[in-house]
Amino acid sequence: MKLRSVFGALVAFGAMALMAVGVQAATYSAGASSPEAGVASIPVIVTPDEGESDVKVSGYVMTLTYDSTKVTPKVSATKDATDADCYATVDPVFGGDNTVLVSDIVATDGDNKTLAVAWASSAPVSVSDVANMATVEFEVADTATGDVPITVAVTALTNDGTTNVDASTITTANGEINIADAFKYGDINEDGAVDSFDANMALKHYSSAFLTARQITIGDVDGNGIVDSFDANLILKKYSDSTFVFPVEQ
């Protein structure tokens, strides 16, 4: 693990005066995302409180804690301010020549790891509506199922580059990566095999609907939205020829 301090960028801009001020009238959060092609994009968001016309941000250090057996932060295409690998990208509003971004995995606790993202600007960014401050992409393990919580903490925040908001007063909201439970098309009874029992279930459902919504998704192997005799025939074909690919998978 790299031993680079994520506070370096903030210090360089003189953002850490270590003085506590009032509550920041906004919520800092991670979003929710479902993976596409094995990658989930999680936005880091600032949302002004209701009635708050303007929130200023000139620097922050935010941590995202996650289950490393299920997801792993993906290295972004661009280097960070120290010319090292970076795990985050910034929205254009929070980008530009006068901003810096660094990120690093800073802690491990069993299966949980913590990624810290630090950003700073030479001039405060004014936020009047929900704004995406940064995005972290997570690669999802092939074996991962269920939801992966993304726990958020703001360990440093400055409004104007000279005073520091007391981290204990900052409102945060966690996010999550929603991973659909894995299944095998045609395996309606989910016993691990596609066989005649599954075909019989498809035929029985065709004559007297009884499958659950999940079972219908698994049994609809031709992808037409229903489970019927055509699906039963395709399931039998798969049973006799394991190399056969269902139309829904093509």
Side-chain angles (χ1 to χ4, degrees):
M1 183 178 67
K2 294 172 290 187
L3 300 178
R4 184 178 68 248
S5 169
V6 295
F7 289 92
L10 293 175
V11 172
F13 275 80
M16 307 301 294
L18 302 179
M19 295 168 55
V21 296
V23 175
Q24 176 75 349
T27 298
Y28 297 83
S29 63
S33 174
S34 297
E36 295 184 8
V39 176
S41 295
I42 296 295
V44 177
I45 302 165
V46 55
T47 305
D49 288 351
E50 185 176 354
E52 189 73 20
S53 61
D54 184 63
V55 172
K56 290 182 171 59
V57 183
S58 63
Y60 66 81
V61 178
M62 186 174 297
T63 61
L64 307 175
T65 302
Y66 56 92
D67 184 341
S68 63
T69 66
K70 293 187 175 183
V71 296
T72 305
K74 183 180 178 182
V75 176
S76 65
T78 56
K79 299 291 187 179
D80 70 10
T82 68
D83 200 34
D85 286 340
C86 192
Y87 298 99
T89 57
V90 293
D91 186 90
V93 173
F94 286 83
D97 294 337
N98 297 318
T99 64
V100 291
L101 175 74
V102 294
S103 65
D104 207 355
I105 298 171
V106 295
T108 299
D109 181 10
D111 291 335
N112 291 327
K113 291 190 176 182
T114 298
L115 171 69
V117 178
W119 170 90
S121 173
S122 59
V125 172
S126 295
V127 177
S128 58
D129 201 351
V130 179
N132 183 8
M133 300 191 296
T135 299
V136 178
E137 289 192 336
F138 287 88
E139 294 181 332
V140 180
D142 292 340
T143 56
T145 58
D147 295 335
V148 182
I150 306 297
T151 305
V152 177
V154 178
T155 59
L157 179 69
T158 178
N159 295 347
D160 55 14
T162 60
T163 54
N164 194 41
V165 178
D166 184 351
S168 67
T169 68
I170 299 170
T171 304
T172 61
N174 298 329
E176 64 181 12
I177 297 173
N178 311 118
I179 305 172
D181 290 343
F183 62 80
K184 180 188 296 184
Y185 276 109
D187 181 20
I188 298 176
N189 62 6
E190 296 195 76
D191 66 352
V194 177
D195 52 27
S196 58
F197 294 102
D198 301 300
N200 286 334
M201 290 181 72
L203 283 174
K204 183 179 178 181
H205 178 79
Y206 179 46
S207 60
S208 56
F210 76 99
L211 296 180
T212 65
R214 176 180 171 85
Q215 289 174 324
I216 291 171
T217 298
I218 296 171
D220 178 24
V221 294
D222 63 3
N224 68 350
I226 60 175
V227 174
D228 53 23
S229 59
F230 294 102
D231 297 298
N233 286 332
L234 290 172
I235 290 170
L236 285 174
K237 185 173 182 179
K238 180 74 170 184
Y239 177 42
S240 62
D241 177 10
S242 62
T243 65
F244 173 70
V245 179
F246 290 126
V248 73
E249 297 176 301
Q250 297 176 4

